[in-house]
Coordinates of all heavy atoms in Angstrom, one line a residue:
M7 N 0.8 -1.2 0.0 CA 0.0 0.0 -0.1 C 0.9 1.3 0.0 O 1.7 1.3 0.8 CB -0.9 0.0 1.2 CG -1.7 1.2 1.5 SD -3.2 1.4 0.5 CE -4.1 0.0 0.6
T8 N 0.7 2.1 -0.9 CA 1.4 3.4 -1.0 C 0.7 4.4 -0.3 O -0.5 4.3 -0.1 CB 1.7 3.8 -2.4 OG1 0.4 4.1 -3.1 CG2 2.4 2.7 -3.2
P9 N 1.4 5.5 0.2 CA 0.7 6.6 0.8 C -0.4 7.1 -0.2 O -1.4 7.6 0.4 CB 1.8 7.6 1.0 CG 3.0 6.8 1.2 CD 2.8 5.7 0.2
A10 N -0.2 7.2 -1.3 CA -1.2 7.8 -2.4 C -2.4 6.9 -2.4 O -3.5 7.5 -2.3 CB -0.6 7.9 -3.8
K11 N -2.2 5.6 -2.2 CA -3.5 4.7 -2.3 C -4.2 4.8 -0.9 O -5.4 4.7 -0.8 CB -3.0 3.3 -2.6 CG -2.7 3.1 -4.0 CD -2.4 1.5 -4.2 CE -2.0 1.3 -5.7 NZ -1.6 -0.1 -5.9
A12 N -3.4 4.8 0.1 CA -3.9 4.8 1.5 C -4.7 6.2 1.8 O -5.6 6.2 2.6 CB -2.9 4.6 2.6
G13 N -4.3 7.3 1.2 CA -4.9 8.5 1.6 C -4.4 9.0 2.9 O -3.5 8.5 3.4
E14 N -5.1 10.0 3.4 CA -4.8 10.5 4.7 C -5.1 9.6 5.8 O -6.2 9.3 6.0 CB -5.6 11.8 4.9 CG -5.4 12.6 6.2 CD -3.9 12.9 6.5 OE1 -3.4 13.7 5.8 OE2 -3.3 12.4 7.5
V15 N -4.1 9.1 6.5 CA -4.3 8.2 7.6 C -4.0 8.8 8.9 O -4.0 8.2 10.0 CB -3.4 6.9 7.5 CG1 -3.8 6.1 6.3 CG2 -2.0 7.3 7.4
K16 N -4.0 10.2 8.9 CA -3.7 10.9 10.3 C -4.9 10.7 11.2 O -4.7 10.7 12.4 CB -3.6 12.4 9.9 CG -3.2 13.2 11.2 CD -3.0 14.7 10.9 CE -2.6 15.4 12.0 NZ -2.3 16.8 11.8
H17 N -6.1 10.4 10.7 CA -7.2 10.2 11.5 C -8.0 8.8 11.3 O -9.0 8.6 11.4 CB -8.3 11.3 11.3 CG -7.8 12.7 11.5 ND1 -7.4 13.2 12.6 CD2 -7.4 13.7 10.5 CE1 -6.9 14.4 12.5 NE2 -6.9 14.7 11.2
A18 N -7.1 7.9 10.8 CA -7.7 6.6 10.5 C -8.1 5.8 11.8 O -7.6 6.0 12.8 CB -6.6 5.7 9.7
S19 N -9.2 5.0 11.5 CA -9.8 4.2 12.5 C -9.0 2.8 12.6 O -8.8 2.3 11.5 CB -11.3 4.0 12.2 OG -11.8 3.1 13.1
L20 N -8.7 2.4 13.8 CA -8.1 1.1 14.0 C -9.0 0.3 14.8 O -9.5 0.7 15.9 CB -6.8 1.3 14.7 CG -5.8 2.1 14.1 CD1 -5.2 3.2 15.1 CD2 -4.5 1.3 13.4
V21 N -9.3 -0.9 14.3 CA -10.2 -1.8 15.1 C -9.5 -3.2 15.2 O -8.9 -3.7 14.1 CB -11.5 -2.0 14.4 CG1 -12.5 -2.9 15.0 CG2 -12.2 -0.5 14.2
T22 N -9.6 -3.8 16.4 CA -9.0 -5.2 16.6 C -10.2 -6.0 17.0 O -11.0 -5.6 17.9 CB -7.9 -5.2 17.7 OG1 -6.9 -4.3 17.3 CG2 -7.4 -6.6 17.8
R23 N -10.4 -7.2 16.4 CA -11.4 -8.2 16.7 C -10.7 -9.5 17.0 O -9.8 -9.9 16.4 CB -12.3 -8.3 15.5 CG -13.1 -7.2 15.1 CD -14.0 -7.4 13.9 NE -14.4 -6.1 13.3 CZ -13.7 -5.5 12.3 NH1 -12.6 -6.0 11.9 NH2 -14.1 -4.4 11.8
L24 N -11.4 -10.2 17.9 CA -10.9 -11.4 18.3 C -12.2 -12.4 18.1 O -13.2 -12.2 18.6 CB -10.5 -11.6 19.7 CG -10.0 -13.0 20.3 CD1 -8.9 -13.5 19.4 CD2 -9.7 -12.9 21.8
N25 N -12.0 -13.4 17.2 CA -13.2 -14.2 16.8 C -14.5 -13.4 16.4 O -15.6 -13.8 16.7 CB -13.5 -15.1 17.9 CG -12.3 -16.1 18.1 OD1 -11.6 -16.5 17.3 ND2 -12.1 -16.4 19.5
G26 N -14.3 -12.3 15.6 CA -15.3 -11.5 15.2 C -15.9 -10.5 16.3 O -16.6 -9.6 15.9
E27 N -15.4 -10.5 17.5 CA -15.9 -9.6 18.5 C -14.9 -8.5 18.6 O -13.6 -8.6 18.8 CB -15.9 -10.3 19.8 CG -16.5 -9.4 21.0 CD -16.5 -10.1 22.4 OE1 -16.3 -11.3 22.4 OE2 -16.6 -9.4 23.4
E28 N -15.4 -7.3 18.6 CA -14.6 -6.0 18.7 C -14.0 -5.9 20.1 O -14.7 -5.9 21.1 CB -15.3 -4.8 18.3 CG -14.5 -3.5 18.3 CD -15.2 -2.3 17.8 OE1 -15.9 -2.4 16.8 OE2 -15.3 -1.3 18.7
M29 N -12.6 -5.9 20.1 CA -12.0 -5.8 21.4 C -11.4 -4.4 21.7 O -11.2 -4.0 22.7 CB -10.8 -6.9 21.5 CG -11.2 -8.2 21.2 SD -12.4 -8.8 22.5 CE -11.4 -9.2 23.7
Q30 N -10.9 -3.7 20.6 CA -10.4 -2.4 20.7 C -10.8 -1.6 19.5 O -10.9 -2.0 18.4 CB -8.8 -2.6 20.7 CG -8.2 -3.4 21.9 CD -6.7 -3.5 21.8 OE1 -6.3 -3.8 20.7 NE2 -6.0 -3.3 22.9
R31 N -10.8 -0.2 19.8 CA -11.1 0.7 18.7 C -10.4 2.0 19.1 O -10.5 2.4 20.2 CB -12.6 1.0 18.6 CG -13.0 2.0 17.5 CD -14.4 2.1 17.3 NE -15.1 1.0 16.6 CZ -15.1 0.8 15.3 NH1 -14.6 1.8 14.5 NH2 -15.6 -0.2 14.8
A32 N -9.7 2.6 18.2 CA -9.0 3.9 18.5 C -8.7 4.5 17.0 O -9.2 3.9 16.0 CB -7.7 3.5 19.1
T33 N -8.0 5.6 17.1 CA -7.7 6.3 15.8 C -6.2 6.5 15.9 O -5.7 6.6 17.0 CB -8.5 7.7 15.6 OG1 -8.1 8.5 16.6 CG2 -10.0 7.4 15.6
T34 N -5.6 6.8 14.7 CA -4.2 7.1 14.7 C -3.9 8.5 15.4 O -2.8 8.7 15.7 CB -3.7 7.1 13.3 OG1 -4.5 8.1 12.5 CG2 -3.8 5.8 12.6
D35 N -4.9 9.3 15.7 CA -4.7 10.4 16.5 C -4.1 10.1 17.9 O -3.4 10.9 18.5 CB -6.0 11.2 16.7 CG -6.7 11.6 15.5 OD1 -7.4 10.8 14.9 OD2 -6.4 12.8 14.9
D36 N -4.4 8.9 18.3 CA -4.0 8.4 19.7 C -2.4 8.1 19.6 O -1.9 7.8 20.8 CB -4.8 7.2 20.1 CG -6.2 7.5 20.5 OD1 -6.5 8.7 20.7 OD2 -7.0 6.6 20.4
L37 N -1.8 7.9 18.6 CA -0.4 7.5 18.5 C 0.5 8.5 19.1 O 0.2 9.8 18.9 CB 0.1 7.3 17.1 CG -0.5 6.1 16.4 CD1 -0.2 6.1 14.9 CD2 0.1 4.8 17.0
V38 N 1.5 8.2 19.9 CA 2.4 9.2 20.5 C 3.2 9.9 19.3 O 3.5 11.1 19.3 CB 3.4 8.6 21.4 CG1 4.3 9.5 22.0 CG2 2.4 8.0 22.6
F39 N 3.6 9.1 18.4 CA 4.5 9.6 17.3 C 3.7 9.4 16.0 O 2.9 8.5 15.8 CB 5.8 8.8 17.1 CG 6.7 8.9 18.4 CD1 6.7 7.8 19.2 CD2 7.4 9.9 18.7 CE1 7.5 7.8 20.4 CE2 8.2 10.1 19.8 CZ 8.2 9.0 20.6
T40 N 3.9 10.3 15.0 CA 3.2 10.2 13.7 C 3.7 9.0 12.9 O 4.8 8.5 13.2 CB 3.6 11.4 12.8 OG1 4.9 11.5 12.5 CG2 3.1 12.8 13.7
I41 N 2.9 8.6 12.0 CA 3.2 7.4 11.1 C 4.6 7.7 10.4 O 5.5 6.8 10.5 CB 2.1 7.1 10.3 CG1 0.9 6.6 11.0 CG2 2.5 6.1 9.1 CD1 -0.4 6.3 10.3
P42 N 4.8 8.8 9.8 CA 6.1 9.0 9.1 C 7.3 9.0 10.0 O 8.3 8.4 9.8 CB 6.0 10.4 8.6 CG 4.5 10.6 8.4 CD 3.8 9.9 9.5
K43 N 7.1 9.4 11.4 CA 8.2 9.3 12.4 C 8.4 7.8 12.7 O 9.6 7.4 12.9 CB 7.9 10.1 13.6 CG 8.1 11.6 13.3 CD 7.9 12.5 14.6 CE 8.1 13.8 14.2 NZ 8.1 14.7 15.4
L44 N 7.4 7.1 12.9 CA 7.5 5.6 13.2 C 8.3 4.9 12.0 O 9.1 4.1 12.4 CB 6.1 5.0 13.4 CG 5.4 5.5 14.7 CD1 4.0 4.9 14.6 CD2 6.1 4.8 15.9
I45 N 7.9 5.2 10.9 CA 8.5 4.5 9.7 C 10.0 4.9 9.6 O 10.9 4.1 9.4 CB 7.8 4.9 8.4 CG1 6.4 4.2 8.4 CG2 8.7 4.4 7.2 CD1 5.5 4.7 7.2
A46 N 10.4 6.2 9.9 CA 11.7 6.7 9.8 C 12.5 6.0 10.9 O 13.7 5.6 10.7 CB 11.7 8.2 9.9
F47 N 11.9 5.9 12.1 CA 12.6 5.3 13.2 C 13.0 3.8 12.9 O 14.1 3.4 13.0 CB 11.9 5.4 14.5 CG 12.4 4.7 15.6 CD1 13.5 5.2 16.4 CD2 11.9 3.4 16.0 CE1 14.2 4.5 17.4 CE2 12.5 2.7 17.1 CZ 13.6 3.3 17.8
C48 N 12.0 3.0 12.5 CA 12.2 1.6 12.2 C 13.1 1.4 11.0 O 14.0 0.5 11.0 CB 10.8 1.0 11.8 SG 9.8 0.9 13.2
S49 N 13.1 2.4 10.0 CA 13.9 2.3 8.9 C 15.5 2.5 9.3 O 16.3 2.2 8.5 CB 13.6 3.4 7.9 OG 12.3 3.0 7.3
A50 N 15.6 3.1 10.3 CA 17.0 3.4 10.9 C 17.8 2.1 11.3 O 19.0 2.1 11.3 CB 17.0 4.4 11.9
F51 N 17.0 1.1 11.6 CA 17.6 -0.2 12.2 C 17.3 -1.4 11.4 O 17.8 -2.5 11.7 CB 17.5 -0.4 13.7 CG 16.0 -0.4 14.1 CD1 15.3 -1.7 14.0 CD2 15.3 0.6 14.5 CE1 14.0 -1.8 14.4 CE2 14.0 0.5 14.9 CZ 13.3 -0.7 14.8
T52 N 16.4 -1.2 10.4 CA 16.0 -2.5 9.7 C 15.4 -2.0 8.3 O 14.8 -0.9 8.2 CB 14.9 -3.4 10.3 OG1 14.8 -4.5 9.7 CG2 13.6 -2.6 10.5
G53 N 15.7 -2.8 7.3 CA 15.0 -2.5 6.0 C 13.6 -2.9 6.0 O 13.1 -3.9 6.6
L54 N 12.8 -2.1 5.5 CA 11.3 -2.3 5.4 C 10.9 -2.7 3.9 O 11.5 -1.9 3.0 CB 10.5 -1.1 5.9 CG 10.7 -0.8 7.3 CD1 10.0 0.6 7.7 CD2 10.1 -1.8 8.2
V55 N 10.1 -3.6 3.8 CA 9.7 -4.0 2.4 C 8.1 -4.0 2.4 O 7.5 -4.1 3.5 CB 10.2 -5.4 2.0 CG1 11.7 -5.3 1.9 CG2 9.8 -6.4 2.9
P56 N 7.4 -4.0 1.2 CA 6.0 -4.0 1.2 C 5.6 -5.3 2.0 O 6.1 -6.3 1.9 CB 5.7 -4.1 -0.3 CG 6.8 -3.4 -1.0 CD 8.1 -3.7 -0.1
G57 N 4.5 -5.1 2.7 CA 3.9 -6.1 3.5 C 4.4 -6.1 4.9 O 3.8 -6.9 5.7
D58 N 5.4 -5.4 5.3 CA 5.9 -5.4 6.6 C 4.8 -4.7 7.5 O 4.1 -3.7 7.0 CB 7.1 -4.6 6.8 CG 8.4 -5.4 6.3 OD1 8.2 -6.7 6.2 OD2 9.4 -4.8 6.2
V59 N 4.7 -5.0 8.7 CA 3.8 -4.4 9.6 C 4.6 -3.9 10.9 O 5.4 -4.6 11.4 CB 2.8 -5.5 10.1 CG1 1.8 -4.9 11.3 CG2 2.0 -6.0 9.0
I60 N 4.3 -2.7 11.2 CA 5.0 -2.1 12.5 C 3.9 -2.1 13.5 O 2.8 -1.5 13.4 CB 5.3 -0.6 12.0 CG1 6.5 -0.6 11.0 CG2 5.9 0.1 13.3 CD1 6.8 0.8 10.4
I61 N 4.3 -2.8 14.7 CA 3.4 -2.8 15.8 C 3.8 -1.8 16.7 O 4.9 -1.6 17.1 CB 3.5 -4.2 16.4 CG1 3.2 -5.4 15.4 CG2 2.6 -4.4 17.7 CD1 1.8 -5.2 14.8
T62 N 2.7 -0.9 17.2 CA 3.1 0.2 18.0 C 2.6 0.2 19.4 O 3.0 1.0 20.3 CB 2.5 1.6 17.4 OG1 1.0 1.3 17.3 CG2 3.0 1.8 16.0
G63 N 1.9 -0.8 19.7 CA 1.4 -1.0 21.1 C -0.2 -1.2 21.1 O -0.7 -1.6 20.2
T64 N -0.7 -0.9 22.2 CA -2.2 -1.2 22.3 C -2.9 0.0 23.0 O -2.4 0.9 23.6 CB -2.3 -2.4 23.2 OG1 -3.7 -2.8 23.2 CG2 -1.9 -2.2 24.7
T65 N -4.2 0.0 22.7 CA -5.1 0.9 23.4 C -5.9 0.3 24.5 O -5.8 -0.9 24.6 CB -6.0 1.5 22.2 OG1 -6.8 0.4 21.7 CG2 -5.2 2.1 21.1
G66 N -6.9 1.0 25.0 CA -7.8 0.4 26.0 C -8.5 -0.7 25.3 O -8.7 -0.8 24.1
G67 N -8.9 -1.8 26.2 CA -9.5 -2.9 25.8 C -8.6 -4.1 25.8 O -9.1 -5.3 25.4
V68 N -7.4 -3.9 26.1 CA -6.5 -5.2 26.1 C -7.0 -6.2 27.1 O -7.6 -6.0 28.1 CB -5.0 -4.6 26.5 CG1 -4.9 -4.1 27.9 CG2 -4.1 -5.6 26.2
G69 N -6.8 -7.4 26.6 CA -7.5 -8.6 27.2 C -7.1 -8.7 28.7 O -8.0 -9.2 29.5
A70 N -5.9 -8.4 29.2 CA -5.5 -8.6 30.5 C -6.3 -7.7 31.5 O -6.5 -8.1 32.7 CB -4.0 -8.3 30.8
Y71 N -6.9 -6.6 31.0 CA -7.6 -5.7 31.9 C -9.1 -5.8 31.8 O -9.8 -5.1 32.4 CB -7.1 -4.2 31.7 CG -5.7 -4.1 32.0 CD1 -4.8 -4.1 31.0 CD2 -5.2 -4.0 33.3 CE1 -3.3 -3.9 31.2 CE2 -3.9 -4.0 33.6 CZ -3.0 -3.8 32.6 OH -1.6 -3.8 32.9
R72 N -9.6 -6.8 31.0 CA -11.0 -7.1 30.9 C -11.5 -7.9 32.0 O -10.6 -8.6 32.7 CB -11.4 -7.8 29.6 CG -11.1 -6.9 28.4 CD -11.5 -7.6 27.1 NE -11.5 -6.8 26.0 CZ -12.6 -6.1 25.5 NH1 -13.7 -6.3 26.0 NH2 -12.5 -5.3 24.5
Q73 N -12.7 -7.8 32.5 CA -13.3 -8.7 33.5 C -14.4 -9.5 33.0 O -15.4 -9.0 32.7 CB -13.7 -7.7 34.7 CG -12.6 -7.0 35.4 CD -11.6 -7.8 36.0 OE1 -12.0 -9.0 36.6 NE2 -10.4 -7.5 36.0
P74 N -14.1 -10.9 32.8 CA -12.9 -11.6 33.1 C -11.9 -11.3 32.0 O -12.2 -10.9 30.9 CB -13.4 -13.0 33.1 CG -14.5 -13.0 32.2 CD -15.2 -11.7 32.4
P75 N -10.7 -11.5 32.3 CA -9.6 -11.4 31.3 C -9.9 -12.2 30.0 O -10.4 -13.3 30.1 CB -8.3 -11.9 32.0 CG -8.6 -11.7 33.5 CD -10.0 -12.0 33.6
V76 N -9.5 -11.7 28.9 CA -9.6 -12.4 27.7 C -8.2 -12.7 27.0 O -7.5 -11.7 26.9 CB -10.4 -11.6 26.6 CG1 -10.5 -12.3 25.2 CG2 -11.7 -11.3 27.1
W77 N -7.9 -13.9 26.8 CA -6.6 -14.3 26.2 C -6.7 -15.0 24.9 O -7.8 -15.8 24.7 CB -5.9 -15.3 27.2 CG -5.7 -14.7 28.6 CD1 -6.4 -15.0 29.6 CD2 -4.8 -13.7 29.0 NE1 -6.0 -14.3 30.7 CE2 -5.0 -13.4 30.3 CE3 -3.8 -12.9 28.3 CZ2 -4.3 -12.5 31.0 CZ3 -3.1 -12.0 28.9 CH2 -3.4 -11.7 30.3
M78 N -5.9 -14.8 24.0 CA -6.0 -15.4 22.7 C -5.5 -16.9 22.9 O -4.6 -17.2 23.7 CB -5.0 -14.8 21.6 CG -5.5 -13.4 21.2 SD -4.6 -12.7 19.9 CE -3.1 -12.2 20.7
K79 N -6.2 -17.9 22.1 CA -5.8 -19.3 22.2 C -5.7 -19.8 20.8 O -6.2 -19.3 19.9 CB -6.9 -20.0 23.1 CG -7.1 -19.5 24.5 CD -8.3 -20.1 25.1 CE -8.4 -19.5 26.6 NZ -9.8 -19.7 27.0
P80 N -5.0 -21.0 20.7 CA -4.9 -21.7 19.5 C -6.2 -21.9 18.8 O -7.2 -22.3 19.5 CB -4.2 -23.0 19.8 CG -3.4 -22.7 21.0 CD -4.3 -21.8 21.8
G81 N -6.4 -21.5 17.5 CA -7.6 -21.7 16.9 C -8.3 -20.4 16.7 O -9.3 -20.3 16.0
H82 N -8.1 -19.4 17.7 CA -8.8 -18.0 17.5 C -8.3 -17.4 16.3 O -7.2 -17.6 15.8 CB -8.5 -17.2 18.7 CG -9.1 -17.6 19.9 ND1 -9.1 -17.1 21.2 CD2 -10.0 -18.7 20.3 CE1 -9.7 -17.5 22.1 NE2 -10.4 -18.6 21.6
T83 N -9.1 -16.4 15.8 CA -8.8 -15.6 14.7 C -8.7 -14.2 15.3 O -9.7 -13.6 15.8 CB -9.8 -15.8 13.6 OG1 -9.8 -17.1 13.2 CG2 -9.5 -14.8 12.5
V84 N -7.6 -13.4 14.9 CA -7.4 -12.0 15.1 C -7.4 -11.2 13.9 O -6.8 -11.6 12.9 CB -6.1 -11.8 15.9 CG1 -5.8 -10.3 16.2 CG2 -6.0 -12.7 17.2
E85 N -8.2 -10.1 13.9 CA -8.3 -9.2 12.8 C -8.0 -7.8 13.2 O -8.4 -7.4 14.3 CB -9.7 -9.1 12.2 CG -10.3 -10.4 11.6 CD -11.6 -10.3 11.2 OE1 -12.4 -9.5 11.6 OE2 -12.0 -11.1 10.3
V86 N -7.1 -7.1 12.4 CA -6.7 -5.7 12.8 C -7.1 -5.0 11.4 O -6.6 -5.3 10.4 CB -5.3 -5.5 13.0 CG1 -5.0 -4.0 13.3 CG2 -4.9 -6.3 14.2
E87 N -8.0 -4.0 11.5 CA -8.5 -3.3 10.3 C -8.1 -1.8 10.5 O -8.5 -1.2 11.6 CB -9.9 -3.5 10.2 CG -10.5 -2.9 8.9 CD -11.9 -3.3 8.7 OE1 -12.6 -3.9 9.5 OE2 -12.4 -3.1 7.5
I88 N -7.6 -1.2 9.4 CA -7.3 0.2 9.5 C -8.1 0.8 8.3 O -7.9 0.4 7.1 CB -5.8 0.5 9.3 CG1 -5.1 -0.2 10.5 CG2 -5.5 1.9 9.3 CD1 -3.5 -0.2 10.3
S89 N -8.9 1.9 8.6 CA -9.7 2.5 7.5 C -8.8 3.0 6.5 O -7.8 3.6 6.8 CB -10.6 3.5 8.1 OG -9.9 4.5 8.7
G90 N -9.1 2.8 5.3 CA -8.3 3.3 4.1 C -7.1 2.5 3.8 O -6.4 2.6 2.8
V91 N -6.7 1.4 4.6 CA -5.5 0.6 4.4 C -6.0 -0.8 4.1 O -5.6 -1.4 3.1 CB -4.5 0.8 5.6 CG1 -3.4 -0.3 5.4 CG2 -4.1 2.2 5.8
G92 N -6.8 -1.4 5.1 CA -7.3 -2.8 4.8 C -7.3 -3.5 6.1 O -7.2 -3.1 7.3
L93 N -7.4 -4.8 5.9 CA -7.6 -5.8 7.0 C -6.5 -6.9 7.0 O -6.2 -7.4 6.0 CB -9.0 -6.5 6.7 CG -9.4 -7.6 7.7 CD1 -9.8 -7.0 9.1 CD2 -10.6 -8.4 7.2
L94 N -6.0 -7.1 8.3 CA -5.0 -8.1 8.4 C -5.7 -9.2 9.3 O -6.2 -8.9 10.3 CB -3.8 -7.6 9.1 CG -2.7 -8.7 9.5 CD1 -2.0 -9.2 8.2 CD2 -1.7 -7.9 10.4
R95 N -5.7 -10.4 8.8 CA -6.4 -11.6 9.6 C -5.4 -12.7 9.8 O -4.8 -13.1 8.8 CB -7.6 -12.1 8.8 CG -8.4 -13.1 9.5 CD -9.6 -13.7 8.7 NE -10.6 -12.6 8.5 CZ -10.9 -12.2 7.4 NH1 -10.5 -12.7 6.2 NH2 -11.9 -11.3 7.3
N96 N -5.2 -13.1 11.0 CA -4.3 -14.2 11.3 C -5.0 -15.2 12.4 O -5.8 -14.8 13.1 CB -3.1 -13.7 12.0 CG -2.1 -13.1 11.0 OD1 -1.6 -13.7 10.1 ND2 -1.8 -11.8 11.1
S97 N -4.6 -16.5 12.2 CA -5.1 -17.5 13.1 C -3.9 -17.6 14.2 O -2.7 -17.5 13.9 CB -5.2 -18.8 12.4 OG -6.3 -18.8 11.5
V98 N -4.4 -17.9 15.5 CA -3.5 -18.1 16.5 C -3.2 -19.5 16.6 O -4.0 -20.3 16.5 CB -4.2 -17.7 17.9 CG1 -3.2 -17.9 19.1 CG2 -4.7 -16.2 17.9
A99 N -1.8 -19.8 16.6 CA -1.3 -21.1 16.6 C -0.6 -21.4 18.0 O -0.3 -20.6 18.7 CB -0.2 -21.3 15.5
Q100 N -0.6 -22.8 18.3 CA 0.1 -23.2 19.5 C 1.6 -22.8 19.4 O 2.3 -23.0 18.4 CB -0.2 -24.7 19.6 CG 0.6 -25.3 20.8 CD -0.2 -24.8 22.1 OE1 -1.4 -25.0 22.1 NE2 0.6 -24.6 23.1
A101 N 2.0 -22.3 20.5 CA 3.5 -22.0 20.5 C 4.4 -23.3 20.4 O 4.0 -24.4 20.9 CB 3.9 -21.4 21.9
A102 N 5.5 -23.1 19.7 CA 6.3 -24.3 19.4 C 7.2 -24.7 20.5 O 7.5 -24.0 21.5 CB 7.2 -24.0 18.2

């Protein structure tokens, strides 16, 4: 995804779902550093190629602080969606 295709992501919505249930919702306005600064920082110590994902942390709704706590388990599906960018979907696997 190029910046031209993604458009303005300064106010993009970020949603995380576990097995289809929304667990977190925030916007890129909540980031401490701007997206260009994050990319520049990461590029200083590693080469980035199309398809790389930069993980920045978490917002409210993290599983450890839910009552009762929610933990990902093998077989679960996690989706992270960013408006204007797309959807990343992964299955949780058993640790090796």
Side-chain angles (χ1 to χ4, degrees):
M7 172 76 54
T8 64
K11 287 183 182 179
E14 178 57 60
V15 293
K16 186 175 182 182
H17 308 289
S19 174
L20 302 131
V21 179
T22 303
R23 296 180 199 88
L24 181 61
N25 299 322
E27 180 183 346
E28 186 174 302
M29 303 299 283
Q30 298 176 315
R31 179 177 289 273
T33 65
T34 51
D35 301 89
D36 292 337
L37 291 169
V38 174
F39 302 103
T40 66
I41 292 170
K43 285 185 180 181
L44 290 167
I45 293 170
F47 175 77
C48 292
S49 295
F51 60 83
T52 191
L54 296 173
V55 297
D58 283 349
V59 177
I60 298 172
I61 304 299
T62 60
T64 188
T65 62
V68 67
Y71 297 104
R72 289 180 173 265
Q73 294 300 323
V76 176
W77 303 104
M78 292 186 284
K79 298 175 183 163
H82 284 181
T83 299
V84 179
E85 297 177 337
V86 178
E87 187 170 11
I88 304 173
S89 61
V91 176
L93 175 73
L94 175 66
R95 178 180 298 123
N96 284 294
S97 296
V98 177
Q100 181 68 44

